Amino acid sequence: MSGVRIGYVRPVDFKHGCVDLTHGGGGRAMAQLIDELFQPAFDNAWLRRRNDQAAFDLPAGRLVMSTDSHVVSPLFFPGGDIGCLSVHGTINDVAMAGARPLYLAAGFILEEGYPLTDLKRIVDSMAAASRAAGVPIVTGDTKVVEKGKGDGVFITTTGVGVVPPGVEISGDRARPGDRILVSGTMGDHGVAIMSLRENLSFETTIRSDTAALHGLVAAMVEAVPRIGCLRDPTRGGLATTLNELASQSGVGMVISEADIPVRPEVDAACEFLGLDPLYVANEGKLVASCASADAERLLAVMRAHPLGRDAATIGEVIDDAHRFVQMDTRFGGRRVVDWLTGEQLPRIC
């Protein structure tokens, strides 16, 4: 038996191999996948301890926690993929409380037969997004389901962060007289996904806006600590987000159609697909409300940040027992912007 190494295990074939059931079975194959894929990609002190949990200290402040499952189809799209999306989405949910995101956990549901080369691409994208955001993935889990009982890869991420003392941002804190601001153009992510699904091509490629917003939020909170509400308009888009905030705060809102930033190519694609950009998902934008006296300062801070250069003030909060969101149209009329009924864009995030 000369020339045979004792305990030798053939390296994972990331070029030609596929996920199989043993990769989720808890044995050698699963350990090898962790050692050769997840551990090197997400490497940090917490993962190196190889525990089933991560123990860490927290700075002073209130703890914030959020979890989000990602089932986007297709898994790769212009401007991103399910990997970076799963990092950005949870970081943003934590940041919308005015919190500093600290740590992430990641859970993977893999389908038997999924190409390992694509899985590595997704994991590498997650790792790059995590490092760029400065928010490490410190623990996680992997499961494998039989072929035909999944859709390649589903990812659940959970994030924790800390709100600094004195910051009180919540969906129930919009007040009559407040101004409503958005950090940029609406509908980019949803239209990027739908254009790919429908094999549509435009003169300019429509790219997802997926991004981690905690840096922008930190600059906003530093400039205007009294921000009332923050929310990222993901599923259901801007219209649904405003209805959520109006309902939580017990107020009405009036927005101006002419002031809502939408890229011309996104507007054209929505018209072609029969979509309303107000209801199309975003993954790198936020909505804010603040006192009228703070609005100009907050807008200037947002526009000074790379992720807020297209920020705009789009309306105001009003006293309305019905909690309606209304829009002044470009044609001079006013209409109700209602909740999304059903699901306009399934599997969008």
Side-chain angles (χ1 to χ4, degrees), residues 24-306:
R28 186 186 298 274
M30 181 172 172
Q32 187 180 8
L33 188 67
I34 292 171
D35 287 345
E36 296 185 30
L37 178 60
F38 296 111
Q39 179 72 49
F42 301 148
D43 184 51
N44 56 63
W46 295 274
L47 288 179
R48 283 182 223 126
R49 299 188 70 179
R50 296 179 177 272
N51 292 324
D52 286 338
Q53 71 293 120
F56 43 79
D57 296 321
L58 292 173
R62 302 192 318 278
L63 186 66
V64 173
M65 181 177 182
S66 181
T67 193
D68 201 356
S69 295
H70 303 271
V71 297
V72 64
S73 176
L75 297 174
F76 302 93
F77 46 83
D81 53 64
I82 192 174
C84 65
L85 182 68
S86 66
V87 170
H88 295 156
T90 297
I91 285 176
N92 292 346
D93 285 344
V94 171
M96 292 307 111
R100 176 165 67 94
L102 297 174
Y103 306 106
L104 293 170
F108 294 81
I109 305 295
L110 309 177
E111 183 182 13
E112 180 186 18
Y114 188 71
L116 286 170
T117 184
D118 288 342
L119 178 61
K120 187 176 188 305
R121 182 179 167 192
I122 289 167
V123 170
D124 287 344
S125 176
M126 288 184 72
S130 170
R131 285 193 297 270
V135 185
I137 297 169
V138 298
T139 190
D141 185 52
T142 304
K143 296 291 190 296
V144 179
V145 298
E146 295 89 344
K147 190 174 182 63
K149 294 190 176 180
D151 195 5
V153 178
F154 298 149
I155 303 174
T156 296
T157 44
T158 298
V160 295
V162 169
V163 179
V167 175
E168 296 282 348
I169 298 174
S170 175
D172 61 359
R173 295 179 67 85
R175 300 291 181 263
D178 285 359
R179 293 292 186 262
I180 303 165
L181 299 86
V182 296
S183 64
T185 53
M186 295 289 104
D188 297 0
H189 175 72
V191 170
I193 297 292
M194 288 304 295
S195 297
L196 191 58
R197 287 183 191 171
E198 301 297 328
N199 293 316
L200 300 179
S201 60
F202 301 93
E203 291 184 3
T204 302
T205 300
I206 300 173
R207 299 174 64 84
S208 169
D209 59 347
T210 181
L213 296 171
H214 57 310
L216 172 61
V217 170
M220 293 168 63
V221 171
E222 182 179 6
V224 182
R226 296 176 297 173
I227 294 172
C229 302
L230 287 174
R231 188 69 56 87
D232 53 335
T234 54
R235 284 173 297 173
L238 176 64
T240 299
T241 296
L242 293 179
N243 274 282
E244 290 172 351
L245 297 176
S247 178
Q248 284 180 254
S249 295
V251 297
M253 296 182 178
V254 177
I255 58 176
S256 168
E257 184 177 20
D259 293 331
I260 299 169
V262 179
R263 298 185 192 280
E265 58 269 31
V266 169
D267 202 28
C270 283
E271 185 174 356
F272 181 82
L273 293 166
L275 303 174
D276 185 337
L278 293 182
Y279 294 92
V280 177
N282 311 271
E283 289 293 344
K285 304 290 167 39
L286 61 80
V287 178
S289 74
C290 71
S292 177
D294 296 327
E296 286 302 318
R297 182 165 73 257
L298 185 61
L299 181 63
V301 169
M302 293 168 72
R303 287 179 171 173
H305 193 280

